[in-house]
Amino acid sequence: MESKEDEVKKERVVEARARNISHNVRCTECGSQSIEDSQADVAILLRKLIRDEIRSGKSDKEIYKKLEDDFGETVLYAPKFDMQTAALWLSPIMDNVKQLLVAGAAGGIWAYKRYRQKTNVHIMALNLVRGVPLTPKEKETMLEAVGDDIKRYALFSRLVLRKRHWHSTELA
């Protein structure tokens, strides 16, 4: 009775190890699925081969090595890091670096335009004080830069002028 239970336990261990290995091995026919998920003939044969190797007493590393020797490094979802696979391993990092560079460049351009716009507004304000007339484009830029402040100041000025005018007519 115990031998039957031991056999069942051993078979469960074999099955668990085989599934674990099969999830980490790419189907050579499908390419995008593991051999555990694929129903291709080669995947079925590889799953059988893995179970046979486990039953013969081989370790997981030995099985991965055999698969790699027979089918190449691309059969493993996590190939070892060397000169041939460096691009594969470093591509996610390089994608992040590219994204950071693009975002930094966009931020730099935006900041430069804002700085440039403020600088132009200061120059236009100095020209206005000196009596140099503004072009329509410069007026538009000036209003965009200081928009709400100018509107508030203009409203306040009108109120003050009306109040003065009202007082002057009252006194006369």
Side-chain angles (χ1 to χ4, degrees):
M1 189 83 138
E2 277 186 77
S3 64
K4 182 79 169 165
E5 287 178 14
D6 287 342
E7 285 180 38
V8 170
K9 284 182 184 178
K10 284 181 184 178
E11 195 54 39
R12 284 185 183 165
V13 170
V14 167
E15 188 62 29
R17 282 183 60 202
R19 283 184 181 271
N20 183 41
I21 293 171
S22 296
H23 278 293
N24 295 313
V25 177
R26 186 184 321 271
C27 176
T28 56
E29 191 173 312
C30 303
S32 63
Q33 290 182 310
S34 69
I35 61 171
E36 184 65 29
D37 299 328
S38 177
Q39 293 303 316
D41 291 338
V42 70
I44 294 168
L45 290 172
L46 284 173
R47 288 195 300 259
K48 183 180 180 328
L49 170 81
I50 290 170
R51 283 174 177 74
D52 291 344
E53 295 288 324
I54 291 171
R55 285 186 189 107
S56 70
K58 293 203 174 166
S59 69
D60 291 2
K61 282 186 179 183
E62 291 172 323
I63 296 169
Y64 284 128
K65 180 70 175 148
K66 178 177 177 37
L67 291 169
E68 186 179 341
D69 291 343
D70 292 347
F71 298 99
E73 289 180 26
T74 57
V75 77
L76 302 179
Y77 273 120
K80 63 185 177 195
F81 185 83
D82 61 9
M83 290 306 291
Q84 290 179 335
T85 60
L88 178 69
W89 282 100
L90 297 176
S91 64
I93 295 169
M94 295 310 292
D95 284 343
N96 290 341
V97 169
K98 282 186 233 175
Q99 289 171 353
L100 287 174
L101 287 174
V102 168
I109 290 168
W110 176 81
Y112 176 74
K113 284 185 175 183
R114 293 280 297 177
Y115 167 77
R116 185 84 175 153
Q117 183 181 23
K118 285 184 179 180
T119 304
N120 288 343
V121 168
H122 294 322
I123 292 169
M124 286 185 277
L126 285 174
N127 285 342
L128 195 59
V129 169
R130 291 181 187 137
V132 178
L134 299 177
T135 66
K137 178 71 174 160
E138 289 175 331
K139 285 180 185 175
E140 183 182 326
T141 305
M142 181 81 102
L143 286 173
E144 285 177 9
V146 285
D148 288 337
D149 292 337
I150 287 178
K151 289 175 188 169
R152 275 192 231 111
Y153 178 73
L155 180 64
F156 177 74
S157 297
R158 277 189 234 134
L159 290 173
V160 169
L161 288 174
R162 282 186 190 158
K163 190 173 185 181
R164 283 188 189 162
H165 177 70
W166 182 70
H167 279 297
S168 64
T169 56
E170 197 176 81
L171 294 174

